[in-house]
Amino acid sequence: MHNVEIGGTANPGEDAMQERMTVERLTLVSTGDKWFCLDRPVFIAPGQSYWVDRGTNELCIDRGDGRISRIPRAPSHPDQPR
């Protein structure tokens, strides 16, 4: 298992859609940049790809069987690091 941060630009308004990343091994994704955190980490299987849809603030995962899972960003809290 490999835990990664979701990549992207420093300014979420710069891109509406991030470049897809394809994982080579079972990967646990939980955070990305300082603005994007998930409520719960999510596993991505080998061969699946993921990206952040900055327009909807969702992590998108192409499961490879015609399904795309969309996981919303966790709500921001005043004490959350930025």
Side-chain angles (χ1 to χ4, degrees):
M1 179 175 54
H2 183 64
N3 188 15
V4 299
E5 287 189 356
I6 305 161
T9 60
N11 181 355
E14 288 182 16
D15 296 324
M17 189 76 78
Q18 177 184 327
E19 178 182 339
R20 287 181 182 228
M21 302 294 295
T22 301
V23 300
E24 296 178 5
R25 57 186 176 203
L26 184 61
T27 303
L28 182 64
V29 174
S30 58
T31 63
D33 294 340
K34 294 179 181 179
W35 70 273
F36 194 95
C37 297
L38 299 173
D39 274 332
R40 296 182 192 161
V42 61
F43 282 106
I44 302 174
Q48 295 179 348
S49 58
Y50 68 96
W51 66 96
V52 174
D53 182 337
R54 298 203 188 274
T56 61
N57 284 328
E58 294 174 320
L59 172 68
C60 302
I61 306 167
D62 185 344
R63 299 294 185 180
D65 59 0
R67 291 182 307 130
I68 295 180
S69 301
R70 299 180 76 84
I71 297 112
R73 183 183 85 165
S76 296
H77 302 286
D79 58 347
Q80 190 174 24
R82 296 175 196 238

Coordinates of all heavy atoms in Angstrom, one line a residue:
M1 N 0.9 -1.2 0.0 CA 0.0 0.0 0.0 C 0.9 1.2 0.0 O 1.9 1.3 0.7 CB -0.9 0.0 1.2 CG -1.8 1.1 1.3 SD -3.0 1.0 2.7 CE -1.9 0.7 4.1
H2 N 0.5 2.2 -0.7 CA 1.3 3.5 -0.9 C 0.4 4.6 -0.7 O -0.6 4.8 -1.4 CB 1.9 3.5 -2.3 CG 2.7 4.6 -2.6 ND1 3.9 4.8 -1.9 CD2 2.6 5.6 -3.5 CE1 4.5 5.9 -2.4 NE2 3.7 6.4 -3.3
N3 N 0.7 5.5 0.3 CA -0.2 6.7 0.6 C 0.4 7.9 -0.2 O 1.6 8.1 -0.1 CB -0.2 7.0 2.1 CG -1.2 8.0 2.5 OD1 -2.0 8.4 1.7 ND2 -1.1 8.5 3.7
V4 N -0.4 8.6 -0.9 CA 0.1 9.7 -1.7 C -0.8 10.9 -1.5 O -1.9 10.8 -1.0 CB 0.0 9.4 -3.2 CG1 0.9 8.2 -3.6 CG2 -1.4 9.1 -3.7
E5 N -0.2 12.1 -1.8 CA -1.0 13.3 -1.8 C -1.4 13.5 -3.3 O -0.7 13.2 -4.2 CB -0.1 14.5 -1.3 CG 0.1 14.5 0.2 CD 0.7 15.7 0.6 OE1 1.0 16.6 -0.2 OE2 0.9 15.9 1.8
I6 N -2.5 14.1 -3.4 CA -3.0 14.4 -4.8 C -2.3 15.6 -5.3 O -2.2 16.6 -4.6 CB -4.6 14.7 -4.7 CG1 -5.3 13.5 -4.1 CG2 -5.1 14.9 -6.1 CD1 -6.6 13.8 -3.6
G7 N -1.7 15.5 -6.4 CA -1.0 16.7 -7.0 C -1.9 17.7 -7.5 O -3.1 17.6 -7.6
G8 N -1.3 18.8 -8.0 CA -2.1 19.9 -8.6 C -1.4 21.2 -8.4 O -0.3 21.3 -7.9
T9 N -2.1 22.2 -8.9 CA -1.6 23.6 -8.8 C -1.9 24.2 -7.4 O -2.7 23.8 -6.7 CB -2.2 24.5 -9.9 OG1 -3.6 24.5 -9.7 CG2 -1.9 24.0 -11.2
A10 N -1.1 25.2 -7.1 CA -1.3 25.9 -5.8 C -2.6 26.6 -5.7 O -3.2 26.8 -4.7 CB -0.1 26.8 -5.5
N11 N -3.0 27.1 -6.8 CA -4.3 27.9 -6.9 C -5.4 27.0 -7.5 O -5.3 26.7 -8.7 CB -4.1 29.2 -7.7 CG -5.3 30.0 -7.8 OD1 -6.4 29.7 -7.3 ND2 -5.2 31.2 -8.4
P12 N -6.4 26.6 -6.7 CA -7.4 25.7 -7.3 C -8.2 26.3 -8.4 O -8.8 25.6 -9.2 CB -8.3 25.5 -6.1 CG -8.0 26.5 -5.1 CD -6.6 27.0 -5.3
G13 N -8.2 27.6 -8.6 CA -8.9 28.2 -9.7 C -8.2 28.2 -11.0 O -8.7 28.5 -12.1
E14 N -6.9 27.8 -11.0 CA -6.1 27.8 -12.2 C -6.6 26.7 -13.2 O -6.6 26.9 -14.4 CB -4.6 27.5 -11.9 CG -4.0 28.7 -11.3 CD -2.5 28.5 -11.0 OE1 -1.9 27.6 -11.6 OE2 -1.9 29.3 -10.2
D15 N -6.9 25.5 -12.8 CA -7.3 24.4 -13.7 C -8.7 24.0 -13.3 O -9.0 23.8 -12.1 CB -6.4 23.2 -13.5 CG -5.0 23.5 -14.0 OD1 -4.8 24.3 -14.9 OD2 -4.1 23.0 -13.4
A16 N -9.6 23.7 -14.3 CA -10.9 23.1 -14.0 C -10.7 21.6 -13.8 O -11.4 21.0 -13.0 CB -11.8 23.4 -15.1
M17 N -9.7 21.0 -14.4 CA -9.5 19.5 -14.3 C -8.0 19.3 -14.3 O -7.3 19.9 -15.0 CB -10.2 18.9 -15.5 CG -10.2 17.4 -15.5 SD -11.5 16.7 -14.4 CE -12.9 16.9 -15.4
Q18 N -7.6 18.4 -13.4 CA -6.2 18.1 -13.3 C -5.9 16.9 -14.2 O -6.7 16.1 -14.5 CB -6.0 17.7 -11.8 CG -4.6 17.2 -11.5 CD -4.4 16.8 -10.1 OE1 -5.0 17.3 -9.2 NE2 -3.6 15.8 -9.9
E19 N -4.6 16.8 -14.5 CA -4.1 15.6 -15.3 C -4.4 14.3 -14.5 O -4.2 14.2 -13.3 CB -2.6 15.8 -15.5 CG -2.0 14.7 -16.3 CD -0.5 15.0 -16.4 OE1 0.0 16.1 -16.3 OE2 0.2 14.0 -16.7
R20 N -4.7 13.3 -15.3 CA -5.0 12.0 -14.7 C -3.6 11.3 -14.3 O -2.6 11.4 -15.0 CB -5.6 11.0 -15.7 CG -7.1 11.4 -16.0 CD -7.6 10.4 -16.9 NE -9.0 10.7 -17.2 CZ -10.0 9.8 -17.2 NH1 -9.7 8.5 -17.0 NH2 -11.2 10.1 -17.5
M21 N -3.7 10.7 -13.2 CA -2.5 9.9 -12.7 C -3.0 8.4 -12.6 O -4.1 8.1 -12.1 CB -2.1 10.3 -11.3 CG -1.7 11.8 -11.2 SD -0.2 12.2 -12.1 CE 1.0 11.2 -11.3
T22 N -2.2 7.5 -13.2 CA -2.5 6.1 -13.1 C -1.6 5.4 -12.1 O -0.4 5.6 -12.2 CB -2.4 5.4 -14.5 OG1 -3.2 6.1 -15.4 CG2 -2.7 3.9 -14.5
V23 N -2.2 4.6 -11.2 CA -1.4 4.0 -10.1 C -0.9 2.6 -10.6 O -1.5 1.9 -11.3 CB -2.2 3.9 -8.8 CG1 -2.6 5.3 -8.3 CG2 -3.4 3.0 -8.9
E24 N 0.3 2.3 -10.1 CA 0.9 1.0 -10.5 C 0.7 0.0 -9.4 O 0.9 -1.2 -9.6 CB 2.4 1.2 -10.7 CG 2.7 2.1 -11.9 CD 4.2 2.4 -12.1 OE1 5.0 1.8 -11.4 OE2 4.5 3.2 -13.0
R25 N 0.4 0.4 -8.2 CA 0.1 -0.5 -7.1 C -1.0 0.0 -6.2 O -1.4 1.2 -6.3 CB 1.4 -0.7 -6.2 CG 2.0 0.6 -5.7 CD 3.3 0.4 -5.0 NE 3.8 1.7 -4.6 CZ 5.1 1.9 -4.4 NH1 5.9 0.9 -4.5 NH2 5.5 3.1 -4.0
L26 N -1.5 -0.8 -5.3 CA -2.6 -0.3 -4.4 C -2.2 0.9 -3.7 O -1.1 1.0 -3.1 CB -2.9 -1.4 -3.4 CG -4.1 -1.2 -2.5 CD1 -5.4 -1.0 -3.3 CD2 -4.3 -2.3 -1.5
T27 N -3.0 2.0 -3.8 CA -2.6 3.3 -3.3 C -3.7 3.9 -2.4 O -4.9 3.7 -2.8 CB -2.4 4.3 -4.5 OG1 -1.4 3.7 -5.4 CG2 -2.0 5.6 -4.1
L28 N -3.3 4.4 -1.3 CA -4.3 5.1 -0.4 C -4.1 6.6 -0.6 O -3.1 7.1 -0.4 CB -4.0 4.7 1.0 CG -4.9 5.2 2.1 CD1 -6.3 4.7 1.9 CD2 -4.3 4.9 3.5
V29 N -5.2 7.3 -1.0 CA -5.2 8.7 -1.2 C -6.0 9.4 -0.1 O -7.1 9.0 0.2 CB -5.7 9.0 -2.6 CG1 -5.9 10.5 -2.8 CG2 -4.9 8.4 -3.7
S30 N -5.4 10.4 0.5 CA -6.1 11.1 1.6 C -6.1 12.6 1.4 O -7.1 13.3 1.8 CB -5.5 10.7 2.9 OG -4.2 11.0 2.9
T31 N -5.0 13.2 1.0 CA -4.9 14.7 0.9 C -4.2 15.1 -0.4 O -3.5 14.3 -1.0 CB -4.2 15.2 2.1 OG1 -2.8 14.7 2.1 CG2 -4.8 14.9 3.4
G32 N -4.4 16.4 -0.7 CA -3.6 16.9 -1.8 C -3.5 18.4 -1.6 O -4.5 19.0 -1.1
D33 N -2.4 19.0 -2.0 CA -2.2 20.4 -1.8 C -2.7 20.8 -0.4 O -2.9 19.9 0.5 CB -2.9 21.2 -2.8 CG -2.3 21.0 -4.2 OD1 -1.2 20.6 -4.3 OD2 -3.0 21.3 -5.2
K34 N -2.8 22.0 -0.1 CA -3.3 22.5 1.2 C -4.8 22.7 1.2 O -5.4 22.9 2.2 CB -2.6 23.7 1.7 CG -1.1 23.5 1.9 CD -0.4 24.7 2.3 CE 1.1 24.4 2.5 NZ 1.9 25.5 2.9
W35 N -5.4 22.7 0.0 CA -6.8 23.0 -0.1 C -7.7 21.8 -0.2 O -8.9 21.9 -0.1 CB -7.0 24.0 -1.2 CG -6.9 23.3 -2.6 CD1 -5.7 23.2 -3.3 CD2 -7.9 22.7 -3.3 NE1 -5.9 22.5 -4.4 CE2 -7.2 22.2 -4.5 CE3 -9.2 22.5 -3.2 CZ2 -7.9 21.5 -5.5 CZ3 -9.9 21.8 -4.2 CH2 -9.3 21.3 -5.3
F36 N -7.1 20.6 -0.5 CA -8.0 19.5 -0.8 C -7.7 18.3 0.1 O -6.6 17.7 0.1 CB -7.7 19.0 -2.3 CG -8.8 18.0 -2.8 CD1 -9.9 18.5 -3.5 CD2 -8.7 16.7 -2.5 CE1 -10.8 17.6 -3.9 CE2 -9.7 15.8 -2.9 CZ -10.7 16.3 -3.7
C37 N -8.7 18.0 1.0 CA -8.6 16.9 1.9 C -9.9 16.1 1.8 O -11.0 16.6 1.6 CB -8.5 17.4 3.4 SG -7.0 18.3 3.7
L38 N -9.8 14.8 2.0 CA -10.9 13.9 2.0 C -11.4 13.6 3.4 O -10.5 13.6 4.3 CB -10.6 12.6 1.3 CG -10.2 12.6 -0.2 CD1 -9.8 11.3 -0.7 CD2 -11.4 13.2 -1.0
D39 N -12.7 13.3 3.6 CA -13.1 13.0 5.0 C -12.4 11.7 5.4 O -12.1 11.5 6.5 CB -14.6 12.8 5.0 CG -15.4 14.1 5.3 OD1 -14.8 15.0 5.9 OD2 -16.5 14.2 4.8
R40 N -12.4 10.7 4.4 CA -11.7 9.4 4.7 C -10.8 9.1 3.5 O -11.1 9.4 2.4 CB -12.8 8.3 4.7 CG -13.8 8.5 5.9 CD -14.8 7.4 5.9 NE -15.8 7.7 6.8 CZ -17.0 7.2 6.9 NH1 -17.3 6.2 6.0 NH2 -17.9 7.5 7.7
P41 N -9.7 8.4 3.8 CA -8.8 8.0 2.7 C -9.6 7.0 1.8 O -10.5 6.3 2.3 CB -7.6 7.3 3.4 CG -7.7 7.8 4.8 CD -9.2 8.1 5.1
V42 N -9.1 6.9 0.6 CA -9.8 6.0 -0.4 C -8.7 5.2 -1.1 O -7.6 5.7 -1.4 CB -10.6 6.8 -1.4 CG1 -9.8 7.8 -2.2 CG2 -11.4 5.9 -2.3
F43 N -8.9 3.9 -1.3 CA -8.0 3.0 -2.0 C -8.2 3.1 -3.5 O -9.4 3.2 -4.0 CB -8.2 1.6 -1.6 CG -7.6 1.3 -0.2 CD1 -8.3 1.1 0.9 CD2 -6.2 1.2 -0.1 CE1 -7.8 0.8 2.1 CE2 -5.6 0.9 1.1 CZ -6.4 0.7 2.2
I44 N -7.1 3.1 -4.2 CA -7.2 3.1 -5.7 C -6.3 1.9 -6.1 O -5.2 1.7 -5.7 CB -6.6 4.4 -6.3 CG1 -7.4 5.6 -5.8 CG2 -6.7 4.3 -7.8 CD1 -6.9 6.9 -6.2
A45 N -7.0 1.0 -6.9 CA -6.3 -0.3 -7.3 C -5.3 -0.1 -8.4 O -5.4 0.9 -9.2 CB -7.4 -1.3 -7.7
P46 N -4.4 -1.0 -8.6 CA -3.4 -0.9 -9.7 C -4.1 -0.8 -11.0 O -5.1 -1.5 -11.3 CB -2.6 -2.2 -9.6 CG -2.8 -2.6 -8.2 CD -4.1 -2.2 -7.7
G47 N -3.6 0.1 -11.9 CA -4.2 0.3 -13.2 C -5.3 1.3 -13.3 O -5.7 1.7 -14.3
Q48 N -5.9 1.7 -12.1 CA -6.9 2.7 -12.1 C -6.3 4.1 -12.1 O -5.1 4.3 -11.7 CB -7.8 2.6 -10.9 CG -8.6 1.3 -10.8 CD -9.4 1.1 -9.6 OE1 -9.3 1.8 -8.6 NE2 -10.3 0.1 -9.6
S49 N -7.0 5.1 -12.6 CA -6.5 6.4 -12.7 C -7.4 7.4 -11.9 O -8.5 7.1 -11.6 CB -6.3 6.9 -14.1 OG -7.6 6.9 -14.8
Y50 N -6.8 8.5 -11.4 CA -7.5 9.5 -10.6 C -7.1 10.9 -11.0 O -6.0 11.1 -11.5 CB -7.3 9.2 -9.1 CG -5.9 9.4 -8.6 CD1 -5.6 10.7 -8.0 CD2 -4.9 8.5 -8.7 CE1 -4.3 10.9 -7.6 CE2 -3.6 8.7 -8.3 CZ -3.4 9.9 -7.7 OH -2.1 10.2 -7.2
W51 N -7.9 11.8 -10.7 CA -7.7 13.2 -10.9 C -8.6 14.0 -10.0 O -9.6 13.5 -9.4 CB -7.8 13.6 -12.3 CG -9.2 13.5 -12.9 CD1 -10.2 14.5 -12.9 CD2 -9.9 12.3 -13.3 NE1 -11.3 14.0 -13.4 CE2 -11.2 12.7 -13.7 CE3 -9.5 11.0 -13.5 CZ2 -12.1 11.7 -14.2 CZ3 -10.4 10.1 -14.0 CH2 -11.7 10.5 -14.3
V52 N -8.3 15.3 -9.8 CA -9.2 16.2 -9.1 C -10.0 17.0 -10.1 O -9.4 17.7 -10.9 CB -8.4 17.1 -8.1 CG1 -9.3 18.1 -7.4 CG2 -7.7 16.2 -7.1
D53 N -11.3 17.0 -10.0 CA -12.1 17.9 -10.7 C -12.3 19.2 -9.9 O -13.0 19.2 -8.9 CB -13.5 17.3 -11.0 CG -14.4 18.1 -11.9 OD1 -14.2 19.4 -11.9 OD2 -15.3 17.6 -12.5
R54 N -11.5 20.2 -10.2 CA -11.5 21.4 -9.4 C -12.8 22.2 -9.6 O -13.1 23.0 -8.7 CB -10.3 22.3 -9.8 CG -9.0 21.5 -9.5 CD -7.9 22.5 -9.3 NE -6.6 21.8 -9.2 CZ -6.1 21.3 -8.1 NH1 -6.8 21.4 -6.9 NH2 -4.9 20.7 -8.0
G55 N -13.6 22.0 -10.6 CA -14.9 22.7 -10.8 C -15.9 22.2 -9.8 O -16.7 23.0 -9.3
T56 N -15.8 20.9 -9.4 CA -16.8 20.3 -8.5 C -16.2 20.0 -7.1 O -16.9 19.5 -6.2 CB -17.5 19.1 -9.0 OG1 -16.4 18.1 -9.3 CG2 -18.2 19.4 -10.3
N57 N -14.8 20.2 -7.0 CA -14.1 19.8 -5.8 C -14.3 18.4 -5.4 O -14.6 18.0 -4.3 CB -14.5 20.7 -4.6 CG -13.9 22.1 -4.7 OD1 -12.8 22.2 -5.2 ND2 -14.6 23.1 -4.2
E58 N -14.1 17.5 -6.4 CA -14.3 16.1 -6.2 C -13.0 15.3 -6.7 O -12.4 15.7 -7.7 CB -15.4 15.5 -6.9 CG -16.8 16.0 -6.4 CD -17.9 15.6 -7.3 OE1 -17.8 15.6 -8.5 OE2 -19.0 15.2 -6.7
L59 N -12.7 14.3 -6.0 CA -11.6 13.3 -6.4 C -12.4 12.3 -7.3 O -13.4 11.7 -6.9 CB -11.0 12.6 -5.3 CG -10.1 11.4 -5.6 CD1 -8.8 12.0 -6.3 CD2 -9.7 10.6 -4.4
C60 N -11.9 12.2 -8.6 CA -12.5 11.3 -9.5 C -11.6 10.1 -9.7 O -10.4 10.3 -9.9 CB -12.7 12.0 -10.9 SG -13.7 13.5 -10.8
I61 N -12.2 8.9 -9.7 CA -11.4 7.7 -9.9 C -12.0 6.9 -11.0 O -13.2 6.5 -10.9 CB -11.4 6.8 -8.6 CG1 -10.9 7.6 -7.4 CG2 -10.5 5.6 -8.8 CD1 -11.1 7.0 -6.1
D62 N -11.2 6.6 -12.1 CA -11.7 5.8 -13.2 C -11.4 4.4 -12.8 O -10.2 4.0 -12.7 CB -11.0 6.2 -14.5 CG -11.5 5.4 -15.7 OD1 -12.2 4.4 -15.5 OD2 -11.2 5.9 -16.8
R63 N -12.4 3.6 -12.5 CA -12.3 2.3 -12.0 C -11.9 1.2 -13.1 O -11.6 0.1 -12.8 CB -13.5 1.8 -11.2 CG -13.9 2.7 -10.0 CD -12.9 2.5 -8.9 NE -13.2 3.3 -7.7 CZ -12.5 3.3 -6.7 NH1 -11.4 2.7 -6.6 NH2 -12.9 4.0 -5.6
G64 N -12.0 1.7 -14.3 CA -11.6 0.8 -15.4 C -12.6 -0.1 -16.0 O -12.4 -0.8 -16.9
D65 N -13.8 -0.1 -15.4 CA -14.9 -0.9 -15.9 C -16.1 -0.1 -16.4 O -17.2 -0.5 -16.4 CB -15.3 -1.9 -14.8 CG -15.8 -1.2 -13.5 OD1 -15.8 0.1 -13.5 OD2 -16.2 -1.9 -12.6
G66 N -15.8 1.2 -16.7 CA -16.8 2.1 -17.2 C -17.4 3.0 -16.1 O -18.2 3.8 -16.3
R67 N -17.0 2.7 -14.8 CA -17.4 3.5 -13.7 C -16.4 4.5 -13.3 O -15.2 4.3 -13.3 CB -17.7 2.6 -12.4 CG -18.8 1.6 -12.5 CD -18.9 0.8 -11.2 NE -17.7 0.2 -10.8 CZ -17.1 0.3 -9.6 NH1 -17.7 1.0 -8.6 NH2 -16.0 -0.3 -9.3
I68 N -16.9 5.7 -13.0 CA -16.0 6.7 -12.4 C -16.6 7.1 -11.0 O -17.7 7.6 -10.9 CB -15.9 8.0 -13.3 CG1 -15.3 7.6 -14.6 CG2 -15.2 9.1 -12.6 CD1 -15.1 8.7 -15.6
S69 N -15.8 6.8 -10.0 CA -16.2 7.2 -8.6 C -15.9 8.7 -8.4 O -14.8 9.1 -8.8 CB -15.5 6.4 -7.6 OG -15.8 5.0 -7.8
R70 N -16.8 9.4 -7.7 CA -16.5 10.8 -7.4 C -16.7 11.0 -5.9 O -17.7 10.8 -5.4 CB -17.5 11.7 -8.2 CG -17.4 11.5 -9.7 CD -18.3 12.4 -10.5 NE -18.0 13.8 -10.5 CZ -17.1 14.3 -11.4 NH1 -16.5 13.6 -12.3 NH2 -16.8 15.6 -11.3
I71 N -15.6 11.4 -5.3 CA -15.6 11.6 -3.8 C -15.4 13.1 -3.5 O -14.4 13.7 -3.9 CB -14.4 10.8 -3.2 CG1 -14.7 9.3 -3.4 CG2 -14.4 11.0 -1.7 CD1 -13.7 8.7 -4.3
P72 N -16.4 13.7 -2.8 CA -16.3 15.1 -2.5 C -15.2 15.5 -1.5 O -14.8 14.7 -0.7 CB -17.6 15.5 -2.0 CG -18.2 14.2 -1.4 CD -17.6 13.1 -2.2
R73 N -14.7 16.7 -1.7 CA -13.7 17.2 -0.7 C -14.4 17.4 0.6 O -15.5 17.7 0.7 CB -13.2 18.6 -1.3 CG -12.1 19.2 -0.4 CD -11.8 20.5 -0.9 NE -12.7 21.5 -0.4 CZ -12.5 22.8 -0.4 NH1 -11.5 23.3 -1.0 NH2 -13.4 23.6 0.1
A74 N -13.6 17.2 1.7 CA -14.1 17.4 3.0 C -14.4 18.9 3.2 O -13.7 19.7 2.7 CB -13.1 16.9 4.1
P75 N -15.4 19.2 4.0 CA -15.7 20.6 4.3 C -14.5 21.2 5.0 O -13.8 20.6 5.8 CB -16.9 20.5 5.2 CG -17.4 19.1 5.3 CD -16.3 18.3 4.7
S76 N -14.3 22.5 4.8 CA -13.3 23.3 5.5 C -13.7 23.6 6.9 O -14.9 23.9 7.1 CB -12.9 24.5 4.7 OG -12.5 24.2 3.4
H77 N -12.7 23.7 7.8 CA -13.0 24.1 9.1 C -12.0 25.2 9.5 O -10.9 25.3 9.0 CB -12.7 22.9 10.1 CG -13.6 21.7 9.8 ND1 -14.9 21.6 10.1 CD2 -13.3 20.5 9.2 CE1 -15.4 20.5 9.7 NE2 -14.4 19.8 9.2
P78 N -12.4 26.1 10.4 CA -11.6 27.3 10.7 C -10.2 26.9 11.2 O -9.3 27.6 11.0 CB -12.4 28.0 11.8 CG -13.8 27.5 11.7 CD -13.7 26.1 11.1
D79 N -10.1 25.8 11.9 CA -8.8 25.4 12.5 C -8.0 24.5 11.6 O -6.9 24.0 11.9 CB -9.0 24.7 13.8 CG -9.9 23.5 13.8 OD1 -10.5 23.3 12.7 OD2 -9.9 22.7 14.7
Q80 N -8.5 24.2 10.4 CA -7.8 23.4 9.4 C -6.6 24.1 8.8 O -6.6 25.3 8.5 CB -8.8 23.0 8.3 CG -8.3 21.9 7.3 CD -9.4 21.6 6.4 OE1 -10.3 22.4 6.1 NE2 -9.3 20.4 5.8
P81 N -5.4 23.3 8.7 CA -4.2 24.0 8.1 C -4.5 24.4 6.7 O -5.2 23.8 6.0 CB -3.2 22.9 8.2 CG -3.8 21.7 8.9 CD -5.2 22.0 9.1
R82 N -3.9 25.5 6.3 CA -4.0 26.0 4.9 C -2.7 26.2 4.3 O -1.7 26.4 4.8 CB -4.7 27.3 4.9 CG -6.1 27.2 5.4 CD -6.8 28.5 5.5 NE -8.0 28.4 6.4 CZ -9.2 28.6 6.0 NH1 -9.4 29.1 4.8 NH2 -10.2 28.5 6.8

